[in-house]
Amino acid sequence: MKFKTIQPLPEFQLQPTALTKLAPEIGTNHKFSPPELPPEVNQYQTRPPRSLDDIFMDLEQRNAENISLLEWVYCIYYKKDWDQKHSKDQQLSTSRLIWEGAIDNDAIKQRLCWRLAYYYDGHRNRNSLAPSLVETFSTLSDIHGNDLAVKILCTLQKRDPVLPIAKLSLRKELTPKDLFKTAQLPTNLSIINDALEYVVTAFSEHLNPTRKEASWLLNCFEIMTVEQEISAVETLLKKVSAEVGGQFNNLVQWLQNNYSPRATASQWSRLSTEAKSTLRQWFGAANYRDFQKLVEIILKRLPLQDWEKNQLDSRKYFWEQYSDRFERIRILLPQSSVNVVGNQIQQDIDVIKHDRSEETEVCIFDFGNWFVVEFFRGSGSETRIFKRDQYPNLEQKLFESSQLSVKRLRAFGGEVHDHKYLWQIDCEKWLRERGILPNPGTTYFKRRNRDDPNRPHHDPYNPKTGLPLRDPYGDKRRKRERDLMRWRREIEQLEREARSAFDFN
């Protein structure tokens, strides 16, 4: 095979013709002229730099429009040096003129406020802001009092501005850093980090905080260091009661995700004993509130028989004594109840699959070592309890599965308890024997008052002996035993139907 020979390209050289033409003229008296600009390009004429005295003269004569941006910057930067050579009256009068010029000039106002923020933060020498400008800031603040940057600077003037800055951040629903950024002020000030450590105090001292303000607090948590966050959570649990904190499902959910003893990468172990106890109360308060609300809506809006209403109302009172023990709750409703409840409950609601069983609402409580499943209505209307370590994978099924139905829940098995006449006494003992105790400090159990539903009975409670028997050997106890015999037959039949529908063996 033969290849053609590649011929080299001819040399190509650029000739500096323009430079060659210009070179002979160097050293002569030839005058050079700048290139002419096209006619559509504006021709700017420069002027020699002016002294601060000249600039101040324009300000005194209300000719601020004659001052260029560069002269403004020069004026602000060198005002401190100028002041050293002039009297106090002159220092203050000229500084007021500068602030007056900034009233209608955002570019100048922003530069002055930027430097003043550094001054208040302790950087007294940064950007050479003259003390006379600091003293005359009221010239601007009296006019622009509602301006965010001015509000912040007025706050920084206070003896202890950290908490007020945190409260201003709360009112604006901005993190401290975003507050300064929005106001076009420096975001590297030490007070921003200091204020971040007071956001919980600001939240706790706010009257009637809202869900939006709870979201603001979460945004602040997200930008904290781990140590700041743990300290903030400790403060939150110390200063905000479970009754108040439990209202904010978003805040409770965040705590469950990050500080629950069973959460992945949880900071639970780093909380104090007092904080751990309070956190459980938070979880319980939020979960019980939704359970209580659900019961009240069902009682009010669903056509129930009197015995069903009595049972539901009694359960609301009974589980109130255990509210601090709830770690979480899941609510399952038939579609007909979903249509009634709507969005009146903060907790997420799931639809229980219809399997031809009697319609009932279901609540699943997580007590840590135990799971409790409450059936609200129907022939069984029972409570089922499952020990966590005896039922592998049951937690995922109970709290994550979208296929739960009444029969499937019964097919899981577990121990079962009734809600027949006088059930509270036996149920408290049943739970106590399994290590599920009422809230710490409980001295009585509430019980529905048939004569006055708004004034429940208060049965005395002893942590060692439980609830006292009411008429232990009389007609009431015999009535309960008769009711229990019928209920056991009914529940056995329901369990057989469930096992035939779902064989988990």
Side-chain angles (χ1 to χ4, degrees):
M1 180 179 292
K2 293 183 180 181
F3 296 93
K4 292 183 179 180
T5 302
I6 298 176
Q7 299 297 323
L9 294 172
E11 285 191 25
F12 178 75
Q13 294 183 345
L14 290 174
Q15 298 297 325
T17 55
L19 288 175
T20 303
K21 181 179 179 182
L22 180 64
E25 300 179 358
I26 296 176
T28 67
N29 292 327
H30 183 83
K31 294 183 179 180
F32 299 101
S33 301
E36 293 186 4
L37 295 175
E40 64 271 14
V41 177
N42 293 329
Q43 305 290 318
Y44 288 102
Q45 299 294 325
T46 61
R47 65 184 181 188
R50 296 196 296 165
S51 67
L52 288 183
D53 291 327
D54 293 335
I55 297 172
F56 290 148
M57 187 176 294
D58 269 342
L59 289 175
E60 288 174 356
Q61 296 174 356
R62 300 295 186 264
N63 293 326
E65 68 279 0
N66 292 338
I67 303 173
S68 68
L69 179 59
L70 185 60
E71 287 178 328
W72 273 114
V73 174
Y74 169 67
C75 180
I76 296 169
Y77 192 84
Y78 283 101
K79 182 64 166 64
K80 186 175 182 180
D81 294 337
W82 187 91
D83 282 355
Q84 293 175 358
K85 303 173 184 178
H86 295 79
S87 67
K88 184 68 173 180
D89 288 343
Q90 289 175 308
Q91 294 172 24
L92 296 177
S93 63
T94 50
S95 289
R96 291 190 189 95
L97 290 173
I98 293 174
W99 283 114
E100 288 175 3
I103 290 174
D104 297 316
N105 191 323
D106 288 341
I108 305 308
K109 178 170 72 71
Q110 195 269 335
R111 284 166 172 78
L112 282 166
C113 291
W114 182 280
R115 287 163 175 77
L116 188 57
Y118 275 122
Y119 184 93
Y120 286 143
D121 199 53
H123 303 273
R124 298 299 168 87
N125 296 320
R126 187 158 188 164
N127 294 315
S128 302
L129 187 70
S132 62
L133 284 169
V134 178
E135 292 182 54
T136 55
F137 170 57
S138 60
T139 307
L140 177 70
S141 62
D142 289 346
I143 303 298
H144 283 294
N146 292 325
D147 181 88
L148 181 57
V150 174
K151 280 186 177 180
I152 293 173
L153 292 171
C154 288
T155 305
L156 294 180
Q157 287 180 318
K158 298 181 179 180
R159 182 184 297 274
D160 190 0
V162 183
L163 180 57
I165 285 293
K167 290 183 175 181
L168 181 58
S169 298
L170 173 59
R171 288 199 298 273
K172 297 298 181 181
E173 296 178 7
L174 295 167
T175 66
K177 186 173 183 177
D178 286 341
L179 179 74
F180 278 71
K181 183 178 180 180
T182 302
Q184 295 184 305
L185 293 175
T187 56
N188 60 343
L189 303 179
S190 61
I191 194 169
I192 293 176
N193 191 61
D194 294 342
L196 198 61
E197 297 179 0
Y198 279 78
V199 293
V200 171
T201 303
F203 179 81
S204 68
E205 294 182 1
H206 187 66
L207 295 176
N208 301 319
T210 64
R211 184 180 174 86
K212 283 187 176 181
E213 287 157 349
S215 296
W216 165 83
L217 187 60
L218 290 178
N219 291 336
C220 292
F221 283 162
E222 293 296 335
I223 60 176
M224 291 180 179
T225 65
V226 174
E227 297 301 324
Q228 282 179 320
E229 180 188 294
I230 293 171
S231 176
V233 170
E234 284 273 355
T235 303
L236 178 69
L237 297 174
K238 180 180 179 181
K239 292 192 172 187
V240 180
S241 68
E243 286 186 353
V244 174
Q247 299 176 41
F248 306 111
N249 194 51
N250 54 345
L251 190 52
V252 173
Q253 186 62 55
W254 184 88
L255 288 169
Q256 287 178 326
N257 293 341
N258 294 279
Y259 285 85
S260 169
R262 302 187 187 281
T264 304
S266 172
Q267 300 292 344
W268 168 263
S269 62
R270 300 189 64 181
L271 294 177
S272 65
T273 301
E274 181 183 0
K276 289 176 181 177
S277 175
T278 306
L279 186 57
R280 289 189 184 279
Q281 294 175 21
W282 269 59
F283 294 159
N287 292 324
Y288 176 75
R289 182 176 287 104
D290 285 334
F291 172 76
Q292 179 187 42
K293 183 75 171 178
L294 175 63
V295 171
E296 290 173 351
I297 294 173
I298 291 171
L299 286 171
K300 184 177 180 180
R301 300 196 177 183
L302 292 185
L304 304 177
Q305 298 182 38
D306 287 343
W307 67 270
E308 289 180 305
K309 292 180 180 180
N310 179 56
Q311 280 197 4
L312 277 181
D313 214 13
S314 297
R315 267 179 269 189
K316 178 185 68 175
Y317 288 124
F318 181 82
W319 288 115
E320 182 180 352
Q321 321 310 318
Y322 295 83
S323 61
D324 292 358
R325 306 296 190 182
F326 300 161
E327 290 192 8
R328 56 179 165 162
I329 183 175
R330 186 182 186 189
I331 296 175
L332 298 162
L333 304 182
Q335 187 60 56
S336 58
S337 297
V338 172
N339 297 338
V340 170
V341 173
N343 60 353
Q344 297 182 62
I345 295 177
Q346 291 191 43
Q347 184 78 230
D348 291 336
I349 293 176
D350 296 309
V351 177
I352 192 167
K353 295 184 72 67
H354 181 60
D355 61 4
R356 297 185 180 180
S357 297
E358 292 176 277
E359 281 197 344
T360 180
E361 299 72 29
V362 175
C363 277
I364 305 173
F365 303 120
D366 183 351
F367 279 93
N369 294 326
W370 296 85
F371 302 122
V372 172
V373 181
E374 268 278 17
F375 295 81
F376 279 27
R377 296 184 285 147
S379 301
S381 185
E382 74 269 28
T383 294
R384 290 185 176 271
I385 186 171
F386 304 86
K387 192 169 178 56
R388 181 188 291 267
D389 56 11
Q390 292 180 357
Y391 293 86
N393 303 319
L394 183 61
E395 178 181 6
Q396 183 178 6
K397 293 174 183 176
L398 290 178
F399 286 93
E400 298 179 18
S401 174
S402 60
Q403 302 301 314
L404 292 181
S405 66
V406 172
K407 287 181 180 177
R408 186 180 290 271
L409 287 168
R410 286 188 172 127
F412 288 149
E415 301 177 65
V416 64
H417 199 281
D418 68 285
H419 288 102
K420 294 301 178 182
Y421 189 54
L422 299 181
W423 64 270
Q424 296 97 325
I425 298 171
D426 288 347
C427 190
E428 182 279 324
K429 179 183 178 182
W430 185 64
L431 294 173
R432 177 160 38 90
E433 290 172 347
R434 287 153 184 78
I436 301 177
L437 304 176
N439 302 335
T442 297
T443 57
Y444 60 84
F445 268 51
K446 290 182 182 180
R447 177 168 51 88
R448 186 174 187 268
N449 184 343
R450 291 171 181 255
D451 298 326
D452 187 355
N454 294 321
R455 299 181 63 186
H457 294 296
H458 291 75
D459 296 327
Y461 169 76
N462 185 306
K464 294 182 180 179
T465 60
L467 290 169
L469 293 176
R470 299 197 301 275
D471 187 27
Y473 307 108
D475 293 340
K476 293 182 179 179
R477 199 69 188 176
R478 284 191 291 272
K479 179 181 185 309
R480 171 166 171 75
E481 291 301 324
R482 288 194 299 271
D483 289 347
L484 273 180
M485 290 178 62
R486 289 193 297 271
W487 174 81
R488 289 190 185 107
R489 289 193 295 269
E490 291 172 347
I491 205 69
E492 287 172 1
Q493 176 61 31
L494 292 172
E495 288 177 335
R496 282 194 296 271
E497 293 174 2
R499 285 193 295 270
S500 65
F502 299 97
D503 184 4
F504 292 112
N505 297 325

